[in-house]
Amino acid sequence: MKISRSVLDEHSKLTTVEEILAIHIKPGWKKGTRITFPEKGNQEPGVTPRDLIFIVDEKPHAVFKRDGNDLVIHKRISLLDALTGKTIKLATLDGRDLRIPIKDYAS
């Protein structure tokens, strides 16, 4: 994340600097998770810089929906495929292709 902030130079004058902060989002983080960068806020004479806080938000995905810690997908299949079996291909978020067998569990 590229940020701009005011800092004091060696002559105690405010100048604007740009920094790049690395935010490593971990799997499972939910909406509202806070990432804090201590004392990365604007500087003022005689005052300790405030913390810079980022709050994680979620974007809806075209295929997957979140249910707690799980990702859910709804896939419509025919009754014939449900009864006789079928293999469904599913592309995961990390780019892998899964083959999920649908079997007749009634027998």
Side-chain angles (χ1 to χ4, degrees):
M1 176 72 72
K2 187 175 184 178
I3 64 164
S4 296
R5 66 187 190 118
S6 298
V7 296
L8 296 171
D9 64 11
E10 62 274 359
H11 304 293
S12 296
K13 289 185 177 180
L14 286 176
T15 61
T16 301
V17 296
E18 291 185 346
E19 282 185 68
I20 296 179
L21 301 176
I23 301 174
H24 302 285
I25 304 296
K26 296 179 182 170
W29 279 7
K30 296 179 183 165
K31 181 177 182 173
T33 301
R34 295 170 159 255
I35 302 119
T36 303
F37 291 91
E39 299 184 7
K40 286 292 185 179
N42 290 334
Q43 292 182 354
E44 295 179 20
V47 179
T48 302
R50 303 289 298 248
D51 294 346
L52 184 61
I53 301 171
F54 292 92
I55 300 174
V56 174
D57 196 7
E58 295 177 359
K59 287 184 179 180
H61 193 271
V63 177
F64 296 98
K65 305 289 182 234
R66 183 186 278 270
D67 182 13
N69 288 331
D70 298 323
L71 292 178
V72 178
I73 180 173
H74 292 277
K75 182 82 171 175
R76 186 175 293 271
I77 61 172
S78 70
L79 178 60
L80 179 63
D81 288 342
L83 294 174
T84 60
K86 177 181 178 139
T87 300
I88 297 174
K89 291 186 217 174
L90 176 67
T92 63
L93 293 175
D94 61 2
R96 294 177 294 138
D97 287 322
L98 298 180
R99 298 174 74 75
I100 302 169
I102 307 296
K103 298 179 182 175
D104 177 15
Y105 292 103
S107 325

